[in-house]
Amino acid sequence: MHVPDGFINAPTSAVTGVIAAGAVAVSLRGARRELDERTAPLAGLVAAFIFAVQMLNFPVAAGTSGHLLGGALAAILVGPCTGVLCVSVVLLMQGILFADGGLTALGVNITDMAIVTTVVAYAVFRGLVKVLPRRRRSVTVASFVAALVSVPAAAVAFTLIYAAGGTTDVAIGKVATAMIGVHVLIGIGEAAITALTVGAVIAVRPDLVYGARGLEQRLKLRVNGELVDAPAPAPAPAPAAARSHRKLWITGLVTSLVLAGFVSFYASASPDGLEKVAHDKGIDKKEEAHSSANSPLADYGVKDISDARLSGGLAGVIGVGVTVVVGSGVFWIVRRRRTAGPETASSQASA
């Protein structure tokens, strides 16, 4: 789904760039409400995890593969605004360091992969959790469906963008049929990864899952023949909570490093959905060389290292490291601005 340079003309790319910039600006403000001292570090980890799992292409049809987009996963774990920022950070790192996704097409990719997937997935997710039983399992089920829907939604968005500014003369009906068809299959893989990940986090730290907030049911006790809410359990001591949070963060980081540094070597080498459709339908006739094609990490390999396994593994580890540092830095700044807000307002009022 990473759109290269040359697929979409300059005016349309500029418009999507404006849309992406506006959405990122709105998301920066919205993320202040979503992030706190517990979830800000998790957001940087989510970005790194998405980067790692996107390296794991899985086969979906003859000669075609797919990979995680990540919008649904990010939105459910850390919130929709923060989710847009997570996927945007990943796309920026991939475009600059790994020549994956065009730089002039960055607005297209953020609009399609970060905004559309996150907004659609979270809307579907919130609608489902309102009607499903208030249980943790419902969050996992809603995550599966939301992720499943988000991928063909992104395919529809690309088709509309291509209809507005595609650089080749291909019937839009053919593009739509091919894109939506293959991305429905990719959506099944996206849904499975999202549901498994959300379920794993809920199992150990449900309080850190943004989409599960407010869904807890209070224990009922029968007193004198009437059901009343049981007293709320005492919160865990701060040191214990900090250790639990640190353990989850370390586990997530190690998992991301293993996936990107080792498991990625066994990923499918077949072209992904967009690459396959572009080649079959002729969308790629005017594809342009990436401006970062000579990057030391281009195509997810370390330059001058001939061993493919070592080269790809090192590139994956570097990518995870850079993404978690950049992502954590962005979300730390956002959280700092949130915590500074009330103090600033108070000082202004007293003045």
Side-chain angles (χ1 to χ4, degrees):
M1 189 64 77
H2 293 77
V3 180
D5 295 322
F7 276 27
I8 307 298
N9 63 29
T12 305
S13 295
V15 170
T16 58
V18 172
I19 294 172
V24 168
V26 171
S27 297
L28 284 169
R29 294 180 63 86
R32 297 180 196 174
R33 300 187 298 271
E34 296 172 351
L35 295 171
D36 54 30
E37 65 279 357
R38 298 172 306 161
T39 56
L42 179 64
L45 178 62
V46 168
F49 182 78
I50 290 173
F51 174 91
V53 180
Q54 283 196 2
M55 294 182 66
L56 308 180
N57 282 46
F58 48 85
V60 295
T64 310
S65 70
H67 63 69
L68 182 80
L69 298 185
L73 177 62
I76 295 164
L77 287 181
V78 293
C81 292
T82 309
V84 169
L85 299 179
C86 283
V87 182
S88 297
V89 167
V90 173
L91 293 171
L92 185 62
M93 295 300 100
Q94 290 171 332
I96 293 175
L97 298 179
F98 298 93
D100 189 10
L103 295 183
T104 62
L106 185 60
V108 174
N109 285 320
I110 290 177
T111 300
D112 194 23
M113 295 178 64
I115 301 170
V116 171
T117 59
T118 301
V119 172
V120 170
Y122 198 70
V124 172
F125 175 82
R126 293 310 307 175
L128 287 173
V129 295
K130 286 182 179 180
V131 299
L132 291 173
R134 296 170 66 85
R135 300 172 181 168
R136 293 179 184 177
R137 183 177 299 175
S138 297
V139 176
T140 305
V141 172
S143 300
F144 184 94
V145 178
L148 178 63
V149 173
S150 71
V151 178
V156 171
F158 170 80
T159 302
L160 295 175
I161 293 171
Y162 180 81
T167 56
T168 54
D169 186 16
V170 180
I172 196 64
K174 293 182 178 180
V175 176
T177 301
M179 284 293 293
I180 296 171
V182 72
H183 283 90
V184 167
L185 299 177
I186 294 173
I188 297 173
E190 176 103 9
I193 295 170
T194 301
L196 288 172
T197 305
V198 171
V201 177
I202 284 181
V204 294
R205 287 296 302 269
D207 57 308
L208 294 182
V209 178
Y210 184 88
R213 293 180 181 180
L215 296 180
E216 300 85 356
Q217 283 186 316
R218 291 287 297 275
L219 179 66
K220 298 287 186 179
L221 297 178
R222 188 174 295 278
V223 179
N224 297 327
E226 296 183 359
L227 290 175
V228 298
D229 289 334
R243 287 195 298 271
S244 176
H245 182 278
R246 190 179 303 115
K247 182 179 179 180
L248 175 65
W249 195 90
I250 293 173
T251 301
L253 180 60
V254 170
T255 301
S256 300
L257 291 170
V258 171
L259 291 175
F262 176 73
V263 180
S264 62
F265 182 78
Y266 300 97
S268 172
S270 299
D272 65 23
L274 176 59
E275 291 174 323
K276 179 67 172 175
V277 172
H279 178 72
D280 290 347
K281 304 302 179 183
I283 298 174
D284 59 356
K285 290 179 180 178
K286 296 186 178 181
E287 180 179 350
E288 300 173 2
H290 200 288
S291 55
S292 298
N294 293 323
S295 165
L297 298 173
D299 296 324
Y300 297 93
V302 178
K303 191 176 182 180
D304 298 329
I305 295 183
S306 57
D307 185 279
R309 188 189 298 270
L310 179 59
S311 177
L314 284 176
V317 168
I318 292 170
V320 168
V322 172
T323 303
V324 76
V325 169
V326 173
S328 297
V330 169
F331 298 122
W332 181 82
I333 293 172
V334 171
R335 185 176 68 86
R336 289 272 296 182
R337 288 177 66 87
R338 169 187 173 173
T339 56
E343 298 174 1
T344 303
S346 177
S347 62
Q348 289 175 346
S350 62

